[in-house]
Amino acid sequence: MATDSLTVTDNRTGETFELPITNGTVKAIDFRQMKANESDFGLMAYDPAFTNTVSCSSSVTHLDGDAGVLQYRGYPIEQLAEKSTFTEVSYLLIYGKLPTQSELDSWNSQLLELMAGEEVLKTITSDFPENAHPMGIVQATVAALGTLYPDSKDFDDDAASLEYAKRLIAQIAVLGSWAYRHGAGQPLLDAPKNASYPGAFLQMMFGEEPDPRIERALDILLILHADHEQNCSTSTVRVVGSSDADVHASVSSGIGALYGPLHGGANEAVLQMLARIETKDNVPAFIERVKDRDELLMGFGHRVYKNFDPRATIIKEAVDEVFQITGVNPLLEVAQELEKIALEDEFFVGRKLYPNVDFYSGLLYEALGIPTEMFTVMFAIGRTPGWVAQWWEMKHDKEQKIARPRQVYTGDMDLDYVDIGNR
Ligand code: CMC
């Protein structure tokens, strides 16, 4: 008998099956052969929220939650945050290798050129109510971008798909800045002709050249957010893309998934929570409310990291550096006190709840002058290369088909329709 296999006895029938184990997984479809009787459909795996289901093979991002390891295409996040740039990381994610100097120069200038503003998207952005959440605006304008280029719908045209994927990485910074400027009641600006990616974004946001140290801090934040394997929004991008939907439709769906407070929206929720707690003295009472299940400690906990989130460690260092330039945000003290108490408390220790990327990223964004409602948009800008790389990989994966989970039906059956007057 092969050793890399699983032997299963179906106690309903007494039949035994041997299932191969590959890469630490068994194929869910292999269970289908196990039937209680002839007419039985076959056994299925039940896994709401996909907590133990592998949906794809991927060579984009390696994550070891127990060891606190995050690597893009094999390169540790710590080295990339220290030595690389967001645009270089974008190239790495998409092409699977670090660029040469000339490839990087060309990539950077292409991205800057592709930031040219689309007038119709300016109009669409301006038509939203001024109090519209910028995530909703960006989700809509990314989808609208696809309508401007009908040939982007040709899923089988790889050359065109790659061009539109690149354009999207460039345009998301423009659309994000416009969503902010619209809400602030300020004219929407075009990208500068000569700037780095984060520099161009900051200039479109605030209308002036940024302090290079602030620009670098933003670059690091974007690197940290660039990919995170099969999380909620990336899985959404893949699921939507699996229907042969183009990159705009797929990424705009990913933006919708990222919007929620349990995912990308957590950075905004952290700042709101810190503002509500207000002072360090109120922290113990807040922690008690969390333990009583009246509150969630936003920015804590992770589905995969059960030791520490390496991104949180890097962000914490960046926060210290940025605060030396901008002055310390008084809410930092509240955050530090929350972290200190939570890391000693059995409720959090026992459940392996540690600060995640969002615990400190909001404070950092705020120090960069970015308003709270834009935090999740920042996350979306950073994550776009990752979404695109994963969409691209999914598109070329021969094992993938249109995503279509199964269900256990628990509702009524075979009812007779009742006329409205008789109900
Ligand atoms: N505050 C208080 N209790 C928590 C928290 C929290 N932040 N997170 C998890 N728990 C508890 C949870 O109630 C459960 O307790 P019990 O076993 O007694 O029922 C236990 O810890 C295990 O949690 P879980 O809900 O099974 O964990 P999950 O993997 O389903 O959820 C999570 C992961 C990130 C959604 C969750 O930890 C959470 O809601 N955190 C707050 C929101 C947040 O910071 N999200 C950002 C995630 S990182 C960035 C990103 O990926 O977007």
Side-chain angles (χ1 to χ4, degrees):
M1 187 193 293
T3 43
D4 279 353
S5 69
L6 175 75
T7 303
V8 181
T9 302
D10 185 342
N11 293 324
R12 299 170 303 177
T13 59
E15 258 191 283
T16 294
F17 302 85
E18 194 191 341
L19 312 184
I21 298 178
T22 313
N23 297 323
T25 68
V26 287
K27 285 200 158 58
I29 197 72
D30 285 350
F31 285 89
R32 188 75 70 73
Q33 59 187 309
M34 301 171 198
K35 298 178 186 231
N37 52 57
E38 283 262 299
S39 62
D40 186 10
F41 182 74
L43 205 58
M44 292 185 282
Y46 181 65
D47 189 12
F50 314 126
T51 54
N52 198 38
T53 292
V54 171
S55 62
C56 62
S57 299
S58 177
S59 64
V60 181
T61 290
H62 166 60
L63 203 166
D64 180 338
D66 290 330
V69 168
L70 172 62
Q71 300 180 345
Y72 299 156
R73 301 285 190 188
Y75 294 98
I77 192 68
E78 293 79 4
Q79 289 184 30
L80 294 171
E82 189 193 334
K83 297 182 179 162
S84 186
T85 60
F86 175 63
T87 50
E88 187 180 51
V89 163
S90 307
Y91 186 102
L92 172 68
L93 287 169
I94 288 166
Y95 292 101
K97 66 167 192 99
L98 286 170
T100 61
Q101 187 64 55
S102 66
E103 285 167 339
L104 182 60
D105 293 344
S106 148
W107 176 248
N108 282 336
S109 54
Q110 281 178 62
L111 288 179
L112 207 57
E113 265 170 42
L114 291 169
M115 276 189 189
E118 302 280 2
E119 284 306 313
V120 63
L121 297 185
K122 255 189 198 167
T123 310
I124 294 175
T125 301
S126 306
D127 280 345
F128 275 90
E130 254 184 32
N131 64 355
H133 196 288
M135 268 302 261
I137 301 182
V138 172
Q139 186 181 12
T141 48
V142 164
L145 180 64
T147 67
L148 306 184
Y149 298 101
D151 55 328
S152 68
K153 306 287 161 207
D154 185 353
F155 194 78
D156 294 326
D157 184 343
D158 261 357
S161 291
L162 187 59
E163 278 314 302
Y164 288 115
K166 248 188 260 176
R167 181 187 299 272
L168 182 53
I169 294 171
Q171 283 286 319
I172 185 110
V174 181
L175 300 175
S177 75
W178 286 357
Y180 160 71
R181 302 273 302 180
H182 171 63
Q186 293 168 342
L188 314 186
L189 301 177
D190 290 321
K193 294 275 169 274
N194 205 349
S196 70
Y197 185 102
F201 171 76
L202 288 168
Q203 226 165 303
M204 285 185 283
M205 283 281 287
F206 303 120
E208 56 187 41
E209 272 187 45
D211 180 318
R213 294 168 299 175
I214 298 284
E215 191 177 315
R216 179 59 192 153
L218 176 59
D219 212 17
I220 293 172
L221 273 168
L222 295 175
I223 292 171
L224 297 182
H225 283 105
D227 197 47
H228 212 235
E229 53 117 300
Q230 308 312 316
N231 54 82
C232 176
S233 55
T234 302
S235 303
T236 302
V237 169
R238 279 179 172 264
V239 166
V240 174
S242 78
S243 72
D244 287 4
D246 73 295
V247 72
H248 307 99
S250 304
V251 168
S252 103
S253 307
I255 295 173
L258 189 72
Y259 206 161
L262 296 186
H263 191 9
N267 50 20
E268 185 175 340
V270 169
L271 250 264
Q272 286 159 352
M273 175 189 76
L274 296 177
R276 254 189 317 125
I277 298 174
E278 226 181 321
T279 67
K280 193 177 154 183
D281 296 343
N282 294 333
V283 167
F286 181 82
I287 292 278
E288 286 314 306
R289 285 209 299 284
V290 173
K291 289 160 67 178
D292 290 342
R293 311 276 185 172
D294 292 333
E295 301 263 7
L296 269 184
L297 177 49
M298 300 310 289
F300 258 65
H302 199 275
R303 172 63 58 79
V304 180
Y305 294 121
K306 299 297 175 194
N307 181 343
F308 68 97
D309 180 339
R311 303 169 299 173
T313 315
I314 299 168
I315 286 194
K316 222 171 139 180
E317 282 166 22
V319 165
D320 290 339
E321 279 163 33
V322 168
F323 280 173
Q324 282 173 21
I325 309 165
T326 62
V328 176
N329 182 331
L331 292 180
L332 176 65
E333 209 183 48
V334 178
Q336 285 170 332
E337 185 69 5
L338 271 174
E339 183 182 2
K340 184 171 148 270
I341 297 187
L343 291 183
E344 287 166 359
D345 192 301
E346 183 45 36
F347 178 93
F348 301 93
V349 176
R351 289 174 177 78
K352 300 193 173 183
L353 300 173
Y354 298 93
N356 59 48
V357 66
D358 289 325
F359 192 66
Y360 283 105
S361 67
L363 283 169
L364 191 44
Y365 283 133
E366 198 173 64
L368 302 185
I370 292 164
T372 320
E373 66 279 7
M374 275 294 288
F375 292 176
T376 317
V377 173
M378 302 307 299
F379 196 154
I381 294 171
R383 185 53 57 87
T384 297
W387 285 330
V388 166
Q390 300 269 355
W391 175 84
W392 185 258
E393 186 177 63
M394 180 277 313
K395 182 168 151 36
H396 294 99
D397 183 346
K398 299 266 179 293
E399 276 194 322
Q400 293 294 334
K401 294 174 168 208
I402 184 166
R404 207 307 186 179
R406 299 271 173 179
Q407 65 166 10
V408 175
Y409 178 69
T410 59
D412 293 329
M413 285 199 272
D414 303 329
L415 301 178
D416 279 324
Y417 181 80
V418 181
D419 290 334
I420 197 156
N422 296 332
R423 289 175 211 163

